[in-house]
Amino acid sequence: MKYRNYKVADTELSLLGFGVMRLPVLEDGDTVDEDEAIRMIRYAADQGVNYFDTAYVYHGGQSERVLGKALAGGLREKVLVATKLPYWIMKDPSEMLPAFEESLARLGMDYVDNYLVHDINDGRWDLVREWKIFDFLAKLKKEGRIRFGGFSYHGESPELFREILDAYPWDFVQIQLNYMDTQVQAGLEGYEYAAKKGIPVIVMEPLKGGKLTDTMPPSVRAYWDSLGKGRTPAEWALRWVANLPGVTTILSGMSTFPQVEENVRVLSDAEAGGLTEEELDTIAHAAEEYRKLIVYPCTACKYCMPCTAGIDIPLVMNFRNWSDVYGVTDRQHAEFNMFLNRGKPSACVKCGKCEEECPQGLAIMKAMDETAAIYE
Ligand SMILES: NC(=O)c1ccc[n+]([C@@H]2O[C@H](COP(=O)([O-])OP(=O)(O)OC[C@H]3O[C@@H](n4cnc5c(N)ncnc54)[C@H](OP(=O)(O)O)[C@@H]3O)[C@@H](O)[C@H]2O)c1
């Protein structure tokens, strides 16, 4: 495993961090497959992964619990654990401490290393200031219950990102970055700003939530094939992020054991500045081609869920995008009817809650109408 300096902790973080948001689930689609998840987490730790990123809300609380279980019995002391404060589900600031304590209880830990103000965006920044959430973090830090305070960002622009970064002395930041999202949210501009300020940058969604993998359109895949190195699309995407020297660790939310194996392998070898000009150029062209095809760049983070009308929104977004990329085949029709036998997109009641929560700012309600028109 490659490591990069995490200067605030005077330690090194593994270049691959484990995003504990997309654990394998059982057939009911909700219950985490605990045995397999623990096997994956422990394997990653055995291979040198020393950073694990969970959150109060992931898998409805199961993520923190399963992570705590996986790390109990000796691993906890060897790794850094991050979790997050979901202030946006709270009525007032008095709920922050109980939520933090619930996170600790689920994890079975008496402190976490990194604690993040979860998902600051344009609509939430005022609340973060009003509730003096940074002061709350500072207090926990003073009490030794967290070691470092940071935030994750899904706002609309690098300008707001800079404003937040400059507002408080954060220990680290977490941003979405991959070769497709160079100019959305914080983007490369935000990354460079943080790196210049010497603030450790933790990257999330390096594979765009799984969109930059084998499932990508054939015309984009062709770019990788042209490079002739036998690397998978996921490997190219991870190497693109690893190429940036200011990135401290790259979180991937792995959902299968082979994904953990591959990502461990790739980030045990990738170097900052390791890609050639030709490779970077090809990646830029691939991104351009992909952007032309994907109308709704959903990352299936599920922040939009649960849907008021019981629709599996990320799945519908997938069907909507597939229809542009691959055309609408009989097989896709059959799959649509099989997977969406309850909660078809036409059931959308236009309450708009999903759009308020979507970190990507997608026009979900419009996509529901379009998908219904295409498939129903
Ligand atoms: N703070 C925030 O606001 C926030 C928001 C989003 C994420 N995060 C954190 O950041 C972490 C990383 O984000 P992410 O989960 O979106 O990361 P990601 O790496 O972009 O996406 C993970 C998905 O990519 C696919 N994948 C991973 N490795 C693969 C491989 N080698 N080959 C093929 N497919 C592969 C899997 O998709 P399939 O399951 O479809 O196979 C997996 O579920 C999250 O897990 C979470 O901890 C935080």
Side-chain angles (χ1 to χ4, degrees):
M1 179 54 54
K2 293 281 180 196
Y3 293 86
R4 293 202 181 162
N5 187 23
Y6 186 45
K7 65 171 191 165
V8 287
D10 195 22
T11 188
E12 297 206 305
L13 291 189
S14 52
L15 190 50
L16 175 63
F18 202 125
V20 197
M21 185 180 90
R22 301 182 192 268
L23 293 172
V25 290
L26 299 175
E27 265 174 24
D28 64 10
D30 268 337
T31 311
V32 169
D33 181 346
E34 204 170 298
D35 290 346
E36 184 62 0
I38 290 176
R39 189 169 82 96
M40 287 160 59
I41 291 167
R42 290 190 177 154
Y43 171 81
D46 279 350
Q47 300 300 309
V49 171
N50 69 0
Y51 191 69
F52 293 84
D53 173 89
T54 180
Y56 182 92
V57 293
Y58 292 169
H59 291 286
Q62 297 175 83
S63 170
E64 289 180 325
R65 198 178 50 70
V66 170
L67 178 63
K69 211 167 167 183
L71 297 179
L75 281 177
R76 166 64 184 107
E77 294 69 32
K78 297 181 182 152
V79 303
L80 282 83
V81 171
T83 192
K84 312 190 186 84
L85 177 75
Y87 56 100
W88 28 266
I89 62 169
M90 297 171 187
K91 284 192 220 69
D92 61 65
S94 69
E95 294 182 29
M96 295 196 294
L97 187 59
F100 170 71
E101 288 177 338
E102 193 177 342
S103 285
L104 286 187
R106 288 176 186 162
L107 285 160
M109 298 172 191
D110 51 14
Y111 75 97
V112 288
D113 300 279
N114 281 0
Y115 197 48
L116 292 89
V117 185
H118 196 169
D119 187 5
I120 304 185
N121 61 26
D122 298 59
R124 295 176 181 159
W125 176 222
D126 281 348
L127 194 65
V128 173
R129 283 182 296 191
E130 210 178 291
W131 286 14
K132 301 191 182 341
I133 297 182
F134 186 85
D135 295 349
F136 174 66
L137 262 51
K139 187 168 175 289
L140 294 177
K141 202 168 148 181
K142 210 165 160 199
E143 293 166 354
R145 304 178 88 190
I146 69 171
R147 293 177 66 205
F148 308 107
F151 67 96
S152 61
Y153 181 73
H154 280 300
E156 278 171 26
S157 66
E159 287 75 29
L160 177 65
F161 177 70
R162 282 204 303 268
E163 183 184 326
I164 300 169
L165 208 59
D166 290 342
Y168 302 110
W170 304 98
D171 293 313
F172 67 96
V173 291
Q174 185 163 313
I175 59 171
Q176 173 170 332
L177 197 59
N178 55 63
Y179 66 75
M180 286 281 286
D181 294 328
T182 52
Q183 287 177 23
V184 297
Q185 302 185 15
L188 272 178
E189 193 182 323
Y191 151 75
E192 274 158 17
Y193 188 73
K196 220 177 247 170
K197 276 181 83 118
I199 298 179
V201 177
I202 294 172
V203 165
M204 57 187 165
E205 315 209 26
L207 305 178
K208 207 166 171 54
K211 297 286 180 301
L212 308 184
T213 63
D214 283 333
T215 57
M216 64 177 30
S219 59
V220 182
R221 261 208 92 118
Y223 282 96
W224 309 134
D225 297 340
S226 77
L227 287 168
K229 286 206 167 165
R231 291 176 177 165
T232 64
E235 175 162 358
W236 283 112
L238 290 172
R239 283 182 184 276
W240 184 87
V241 183
N243 200 53
L244 302 168
V247 169
T248 305
T249 189
I250 304 171
L251 298 175
S252 182
M254 299 156 284
S255 58
T256 66
F257 200 87
Q259 289 173 0
V260 184
E261 289 179 312
E262 175 172 21
N263 298 355
V264 162
R265 177 183 60 72
V266 172
L267 296 178
S268 295
D269 171 52
E271 300 281 1
L275 294 178
T276 65
E277 282 305 313
E278 188 204 353
E279 288 168 343
L280 286 169
D281 217 41
T282 304
I283 293 174
H285 282 106
E288 212 172 294
E289 172 70 19
Y290 207 175
R291 275 191 211 104
K292 275 193 248 158
L293 295 169
I294 298 291
V295 183
Y296 295 101
C298 168
T299 68
C301 67
K302 297 193 182 165
Y303 283 34
C304 54
M305 298 288 279
C307 162
T308 312
I311 301 168
D312 184 338
I313 296 170
L315 190 57
V316 171
M317 299 304 268
N318 235 340
F319 275 103
R320 173 65 189 86
N321 284 327
W322 285 341
S323 68
D324 286 331
V325 174
Y326 299 107
V328 183
T329 60
D330 287 348
R331 184 161 164 221
Q332 271 187 25
H333 261 295
E335 284 183 359
F336 178 86
N337 287 321
M338 183 169 72
F339 290 124
L340 291 161
N341 58 352
R342 280 173 295 154
K344 290 213 165 42
S346 56
C348 172
V349 294
K350 306 283 182 291
C351 67
K353 283 190 187 148
C354 51
E355 294 192 4
E356 279 166 28
E357 298 300 330
C358 177
Q360 316 300 325
L362 301 180
I364 297 174
M365 292 185 285
K366 182 165 170 268
M368 291 297 128
D369 286 346
E370 290 169 1
T371 317
I374 295 167
Y375 289 94
E376 292 184 52

PDB file of all heavy atoms in Angstrom, residues 12 51 68 71 79 81 84-85 110 138 164 167 186 195 224 252 268 272 289 307 316 318 320-321 354 359 372:
ATOM      1  N   GLU A  12       0.905   8.785   8.541  1.00  0.00           N
ATOM      2  CA  GLU A  12       0.641   8.617   7.118  1.00  0.00           C
ATOM      3  C   GLU A  12      -0.674   7.881   6.930  1.00  0.00           C
ATOM      4  O   GLU A  12      -0.984   6.956   7.686  1.00  0.00           O
ATOM      5  CB  GLU A  12       1.772   7.815   6.486  1.00  0.00           C
ATOM      6  CG  GLU A  12       3.103   8.540   6.581  1.00  0.00           C
ATOM      7  CD  GLU A  12       4.038   8.120   5.466  1.00  0.00           C
ATOM      8  OE1 GLU A  12       4.253   6.908   5.365  1.00  0.00           O
ATOM      9  OE2 GLU A  12       4.521   8.982   4.718  1.00  0.00           O
ATOM     10  N   TYR A  51      -7.420   3.822   6.862  1.00  0.00           N
ATOM     11  CA  TYR A  51      -8.390   4.908   7.008  1.00  0.00           C
ATOM     12  C   TYR A  51      -9.774   4.399   6.612  1.00  0.00           C
ATOM     13  O   TYR A  51      -9.972   3.855   5.513  1.00  0.00           O
ATOM     14  CB  TYR A  51      -8.002   6.106   6.132  1.00  0.00           C
ATOM     15  CG  TYR A  51      -8.814   7.338   6.457  1.00  0.00           C
ATOM     16  CD1 TYR A  51      -8.636   8.000   7.668  1.00  0.00           C
ATOM     17  CD2 TYR A  51      -9.772   7.824   5.575  1.00  0.00           C
ATOM     18  CE1 TYR A  51      -9.400   9.121   7.988  1.00  0.00           C
ATOM     19  CE2 TYR A  51     -10.534   8.953   5.887  1.00  0.00           C
ATOM     20  CZ  TYR A  51     -10.334   9.586   7.097  1.00  0.00           C
ATOM     21  OH  TYR A  51     -11.086  10.693   7.417  1.00  0.00           O
ATOM     22  N   GLY A  68     -17.344  -0.875  13.557  1.00  0.00           N
ATOM     23  CA  GLY A  68     -16.842  -1.047  14.926  1.00  0.00           C
ATOM     24  C   GLY A  68     -16.558  -2.507  15.230  1.00  0.00           C
ATOM     25  O   GLY A  68     -15.523  -2.855  15.805  1.00  0.00           O
ATOM     26  N   LEU A  71     -13.429  -3.797  13.444  1.00  0.00           N
ATOM     27  CA  LEU A  71     -12.140  -3.283  13.943  1.00  0.00           C
ATOM     28  C   LEU A  71     -11.870  -3.673  15.400  1.00  0.00           C
ATOM     29  O   LEU A  71     -10.760  -3.447  15.909  1.00  0.00           O
ATOM     30  CB  LEU A  71     -12.086  -1.755  13.812  1.00  0.00           C
ATOM     31  CG  LEU A  71     -12.168  -1.193  12.376  1.00  0.00           C
ATOM     32  CD1 LEU A  71     -12.128   0.333  12.414  1.00  0.00           C
ATOM     33  CD2 LEU A  71     -11.041  -1.719  11.503  1.00  0.00           C
ATOM     34  N   VAL A  79      -5.592   1.910  13.051  1.00  0.00           N
ATOM     35  CA  VAL A  79      -6.181   2.649  11.934  1.00  0.00           C
ATOM     36  C   VAL A  79      -6.804   3.963  12.409  1.00  0.00           C
ATOM     37  O   VAL A  79      -6.948   4.186  13.611  1.00  0.00           O
ATOM     38  CB  VAL A  79      -7.280   1.807  11.227  1.00  0.00           C
ATOM     39  CG1 VAL A  79      -6.721   0.477  10.735  1.00  0.00           C
ATOM     40  CG2 VAL A  79      -8.476   1.573  12.162  1.00  0.00           C
ATOM     41  N   VAL A  81     -10.267   6.317  12.144  1.00  0.00           N
ATOM     42  CA  VAL A  81     -11.697   6.161  11.856  1.00  0.00           C
ATOM     43  C   VAL A  81     -12.333   7.546  11.743  1.00  0.00           C
ATOM     44  O   VAL A  81     -12.084   8.422  12.577  1.00  0.00           O
ATOM     45  CB  VAL A  81     -12.388   5.347  12.972  1.00  0.00           C
ATOM     46  CG1 VAL A  81     -13.910   5.362  12.810  1.00  0.00           C
ATOM     47  CG2 VAL A  81     -11.867   3.907  12.973  1.00  0.00           C
ATOM     48  N   LYS A  84     -19.393  11.148  10.778  1.00  0.00           N
ATOM     49  CA  LYS A  84     -19.886  12.479  10.383  1.00  0.00           C
ATOM     50  C   LYS A  84     -21.147  12.885  11.136  1.00  0.00           C
ATOM     51  O   LYS A  84     -21.961  12.040  11.489  1.00  0.00           O
ATOM     52  CB  LYS A  84     -20.173  12.490   8.878  1.00  0.00           C
ATOM     53  CG  LYS A  84     -19.049  11.902   8.053  1.00  0.00           C
ATOM     54  CD  LYS A  84     -19.221  12.124   6.567  1.00  0.00           C
ATOM     55  CE  LYS A  84     -18.147  11.385   5.799  1.00  0.00           C
ATOM     56  NZ  LYS A  84     -18.461   9.974   5.559  1.00  0.00           N
ATOM     57  N   LEU A  85     -21.265  14.183  11.275  1.00  0.00           N
ATOM     58  CA  LEU A  85     -22.401  14.776  11.999  1.00  0.00           C
ATOM     59  C   LEU A  85     -23.509  15.168  11.010  1.00  0.00           C
ATOM     60  O   LEU A  85     -23.323  16.083  10.198  1.00  0.00           O
ATOM     61  CB  LEU A  85     -21.912  16.037  12.730  1.00  0.00           C
ATOM     62  CG  LEU A  85     -22.970  16.821  13.479  1.00  0.00           C
ATOM     63  CD1 LEU A  85     -23.364  16.114  14.773  1.00  0.00           C
ATOM     64  CD2 LEU A  85     -22.480  18.237  13.795  1.00  0.00           C
ATOM     65  N   ASP A 110     -14.360   5.100  22.113  1.00  0.00           N
ATOM     66  CA  ASP A 110     -14.547   6.274  22.956  1.00  0.00           C
ATOM     67  C   ASP A 110     -13.997   7.552  22.316  1.00  0.00           C
ATOM     68  O   ASP A 110     -14.054   8.621  22.887  1.00  0.00           O
ATOM     69  CB  ASP A 110     -13.990   6.060  24.376  1.00  0.00           C
ATOM     70  CG  ASP A 110     -12.560   5.555  24.353  1.00  0.00           C
ATOM     71  OD1 ASP A 110     -11.940   5.639  23.277  1.00  0.00           O
ATOM     72  OD2 ASP A 110     -12.082   5.093  25.396  1.00  0.00           O
ATOM     73  N   ALA A 138     -14.706  21.875  17.972  1.00  0.00           N
ATOM     74  CA  ALA A 138     -13.535  22.295  18.759  1.00  0.00           C
ATOM     75  C   ALA A 138     -13.644  21.798  20.206  1.00  0.00           C
ATOM     76  O   ALA A 138     -12.649  21.385  20.820  1.00  0.00           O
ATOM     77  CB  ALA A 138     -13.412  23.821  18.717  1.00  0.00           C
ATOM     78  N   ILE A 164     -15.893  28.524   2.849  1.00  0.00           N
ATOM     79  CA  ILE A 164     -15.996  27.633   4.025  1.00  0.00           C
ATOM     80  C   ILE A 164     -14.599  27.307   4.551  1.00  0.00           C
ATOM     81  O   ILE A 164     -14.338  27.332   5.757  1.00  0.00           O
ATOM     82  CB  ILE A 164     -16.747  26.328   3.658  1.00  0.00           C
ATOM     83  CG1 ILE A 164     -18.161  26.644   3.177  1.00  0.00           C
ATOM     84  CG2 ILE A 164     -16.790  25.376   4.854  1.00  0.00           C
ATOM     85  CD1 ILE A 164     -18.891  25.463   2.551  1.00  0.00           C
ATOM     86  N   ALA A 167     -13.203  30.089   6.507  1.00  0.00           N
ATOM     87  CA  ALA A 167     -13.973  30.577   7.657  1.00  0.00           C
ATOM     88  C   ALA A 167     -13.443  30.043   8.994  1.00  0.00           C
ATOM     89  O   ALA A 167     -13.581  30.692  10.024  1.00  0.00           O
ATOM     90  CB  ALA A 167     -15.444  30.207   7.488  1.00  0.00           C
ATOM     91  N   ALA A 186     -16.416  21.446  -5.574  1.00  0.00           N
ATOM     92  CA  ALA A 186     -15.119  22.099  -5.335  1.00  0.00           C
ATOM     93  C   ALA A 186     -14.253  21.999  -6.587  1.00  0.00           C
ATOM     94  O   ALA A 186     -13.533  22.933  -6.966  1.00  0.00           O
ATOM     95  CB  ALA A 186     -14.422  21.451  -4.140  1.00  0.00           C
ATOM     96  N   ALA A 195      -5.015  22.456  -1.253  1.00  0.00           N
ATOM     97  CA  ALA A 195      -3.643  21.925  -1.256  1.00  0.00           C
ATOM     98  C   ALA A 195      -2.641  23.064  -1.030  1.00  0.00           C
ATOM     99  O   ALA A 195      -1.676  22.916  -0.274  1.00  0.00           O
ATOM    100  CB  ALA A 195      -3.367  21.205  -2.569  1.00  0.00           C
ATOM    101  N   TRP A 224      -9.790   3.646 -23.207  1.00  0.00           N
ATOM    102  CA  TRP A 224      -8.866   2.863 -22.365  1.00  0.00           C
ATOM    103  C   TRP A 224      -8.197   1.785 -23.183  1.00  0.00           C
ATOM    104  O   TRP A 224      -6.996   1.538 -23.060  1.00  0.00           O
ATOM    105  CB  TRP A 224      -9.595   2.220 -21.181  1.00  0.00           C
ATOM    106  CG  TRP A 224     -10.429   3.172 -20.397  1.00  0.00           C
ATOM    107  CD1 TRP A 224     -11.702   2.977 -19.976  1.00  0.00           C
ATOM    108  CD2 TRP A 224     -10.060   4.479 -19.948  1.00  0.00           C
ATOM    109  NE1 TRP A 224     -12.150   4.071 -19.300  1.00  0.00           N
ATOM    110  CE2 TRP A 224     -11.162   5.015 -19.278  1.00  0.00           C
ATOM    111  CE3 TRP A 224      -8.908   5.260 -20.084  1.00  0.00           C
ATOM    112  CZ2 TRP A 224     -11.150   6.279 -18.706  1.00  0.00           C
ATOM    113  CZ3 TRP A 224      -8.884   6.525 -19.538  1.00  0.00           C
ATOM    114  CH2 TRP A 224      -9.994   7.017 -18.859  1.00  0.00           C
ATOM    115  N   SER A 252     -12.798   4.827  -1.493  1.00  0.00           N
ATOM    116  CA  SER A 252     -13.684   4.147  -2.419  1.00  0.00           C
ATOM    117  C   SER A 252     -14.674   3.323  -1.602  1.00  0.00           C
ATOM    118  O   SER A 252     -14.286   2.643  -0.658  1.00  0.00           O
ATOM    119  CB  SER A 252     -12.897   3.251  -3.378  1.00  0.00           C
ATOM    120  OG  SER A 252     -13.795   2.637  -4.286  1.00  0.00           O
ATOM    121  N   SER A 268      -1.543   0.370  -4.343  1.00  0.00           N
ATOM    122  CA  SER A 268      -0.265  -0.051  -3.771  1.00  0.00           C
ATOM    123  C   SER A 268       0.847   0.252  -4.753  1.00  0.00           C
ATOM    124  O   SER A 268       2.021  -0.049  -4.516  1.00  0.00           O
ATOM    125  CB  SER A 268      -0.278  -1.561  -3.496  1.00  0.00           C
ATOM    126  OG  SER A 268      -1.230  -1.852  -2.517  1.00  0.00           O
ATOM    127  N   ALA A 272       1.952   9.831  -7.272  1.00  0.00           N
ATOM    128  CA  ALA A 272       1.609  11.197  -7.691  1.00  0.00           C
ATOM    129  C   ALA A 272       2.493  11.528  -8.891  1.00  0.00           C
ATOM    130  O   ALA A 272       3.691  11.232  -8.884  1.00  0.00           O
ATOM    131  CB  ALA A 272       1.880  12.171  -6.556  1.00  0.00           C
ATOM    132  N   GLU A 289     -16.097  12.570 -23.870  1.00  0.00           N
ATOM    133  CA  GLU A 289     -17.042  11.669 -24.545  1.00  0.00           C
ATOM    134  C   GLU A 289     -18.148  11.242 -23.571  1.00  0.00           C
ATOM    135  O   GLU A 289     -19.332  11.244 -23.898  1.00  0.00           O
ATOM    136  CB  GLU A 289     -16.256  10.438 -25.046  1.00  0.00           C
ATOM    137  CG  GLU A 289     -17.103   9.310 -25.601  1.00  0.00           C
ATOM    138  CD  GLU A 289     -17.762   9.665 -26.941  1.00  0.00           C
ATOM    139  OE1 GLU A 289     -17.293  10.615 -27.593  1.00  0.00           O
ATOM    140  OE2 GLU A 289     -18.766   9.004 -27.293  1.00  0.00           O
ATOM    141  N   CYS A 307     -37.612   7.769  -0.668  1.00  0.00           N
ATOM    142  CA  CYS A 307     -38.514   8.575  -1.498  1.00  0.00           C
ATOM    143  C   CYS A 307     -39.916   8.518  -0.905  1.00  0.00           C
ATOM    144  O   CYS A 307     -40.369   7.464  -0.462  1.00  0.00           O
ATOM    145  CB  CYS A 307     -38.498   7.990  -2.911  1.00  0.00           C
ATOM    146  SG  CYS A 307     -39.870   8.494  -3.944  1.00  0.00           S
ATOM    147  N   VAL A 316     -33.825   4.310 -10.826  1.00  0.00           N
ATOM    148  CA  VAL A 316     -34.532   4.961 -11.938  1.00  0.00           C
ATOM    149  C   VAL A 316     -33.561   5.856 -12.717  1.00  0.00           C
ATOM    150  O   VAL A 316     -33.569   5.874 -13.951  1.00  0.00           O
ATOM    151  CB  VAL A 316     -35.727   5.796 -11.410  1.00  0.00           C
ATOM    152  CG1 VAL A 316     -36.324   6.633 -12.536  1.00  0.00           C
ATOM    153  CG2 VAL A 316     -36.781   4.885 -10.802  1.00  0.00           C
ATOM    154  N   ASN A 318     -30.475   5.415 -13.111  1.00  0.00           N
ATOM    155  CA  ASN A 318     -29.651   4.521 -13.911  1.00  0.00           C
ATOM    156  C   ASN A 318     -30.359   4.137 -15.208  1.00  0.00           C
ATOM    157  O   ASN A 318     -29.774   4.182 -16.286  1.00  0.00           O
ATOM    158  CB  ASN A 318     -29.376   3.241 -13.107  1.00  0.00           C
ATOM    159  CG  ASN A 318     -27.906   2.986 -12.990  1.00  0.00           C
ATOM    160  OD1 ASN A 318     -27.110   3.505 -13.768  1.00  0.00           O
ATOM    161  ND2 ASN A 318     -27.529   2.191 -12.028  1.00  0.00           N
ATOM    162  N   ARG A 320     -32.674   5.771 -16.653  1.00  0.00           N
ATOM    163  CA  ARG A 320     -32.778   6.964 -17.505  1.00  0.00           C
ATOM    164  C   ARG A 320     -31.470   7.165 -18.298  1.00  0.00           C
ATOM    165  O   ARG A 320     -31.487   7.395 -19.500  1.00  0.00           O
ATOM    166  CB  ARG A 320     -33.057   8.199 -16.616  1.00  0.00           C
ATOM    167  CG  ARG A 320     -33.023   9.523 -17.336  1.00  0.00           C
ATOM    168  CD  ARG A 320     -34.148   9.645 -18.371  1.00  0.00           C
ATOM    169  NE  ARG A 320     -33.997  10.820 -19.207  1.00  0.00           N
ATOM    170  CZ  ARG A 320     -33.259  10.859 -20.305  1.00  0.00           C
ATOM    171  NH1 ARG A 320     -32.610   9.783 -20.721  1.00  0.00           N
ATOM    172  NH2 ARG A 320     -33.181  11.952 -21.020  1.00  0.00           N
ATOM    173  N   ASN A 321     -30.334   7.026 -17.599  1.00  0.00           N
ATOM    174  CA  ASN A 321     -29.052   7.229 -18.278  1.00  0.00           C
ATOM    175  C   ASN A 321     -28.762   6.114 -19.291  1.00  0.00           C
ATOM    176  O   ASN A 321     -28.277   6.378 -20.382  1.00  0.00           O
ATOM    177  CB  ASN A 321     -27.920   7.313 -17.253  1.00  0.00           C
ATOM    178  CG  ASN A 321     -27.898   8.663 -16.554  1.00  0.00           C
ATOM    179  OD1 ASN A 321     -28.227   9.678 -17.149  1.00  0.00           O
ATOM    180  ND2 ASN A 321     -27.537   8.677 -15.288  1.00  0.00           N
ATOM    181  N   CYS A 354     -36.271  14.930  -2.674  1.00  0.00           N
ATOM    182  CA  CYS A 354     -35.059  14.321  -3.240  1.00  0.00           C
ATOM    183  C   CYS A 354     -34.139  15.395  -3.815  1.00  0.00           C
ATOM    184  O   CYS A 354     -32.920  15.346  -3.634  1.00  0.00           O
ATOM    185  CB  CYS A 354     -35.437  13.311  -4.313  1.00  0.00           C
ATOM    186  SG  CYS A 354     -36.578  13.974  -5.551  1.00  0.00           S
ATOM    187  N   PRO A 359     -26.745  15.747  -3.622  1.00  0.00           N
ATOM    188  CA  PRO A 359     -25.481  16.485  -3.632  1.00  0.00           C
ATOM    189  C   PRO A 359     -25.059  16.920  -5.033  1.00  0.00           C
ATOM    190  O   PRO A 359     -24.264  17.829  -5.197  1.00  0.00           O
ATOM    191  CB  PRO A 359     -24.460  15.481  -3.076  1.00  0.00           C
ATOM    192  CG  PRO A 359     -25.245  14.391  -2.448  1.00  0.00           C
ATOM    193  CD  PRO A 359     -26.574  14.373  -3.147  1.00  0.00           C
ATOM    194  N   ALA A 372     -40.390   7.580 -16.954  1.00  0.00           N
ATOM    195  CA  ALA A 372     -41.734   6.994 -17.097  1.00  0.00           C
ATOM    196  C   ALA A 372     -42.148   7.011 -18.576  1.00  0.00           C
ATOM    197  O   ALA A 372     -42.655   6.016 -19.099  1.00  0.00           O
ATOM    198  CB  ALA A 372     -42.734   7.786 -16.255  1.00  0.00           C
TER     199      ALA A 372
END
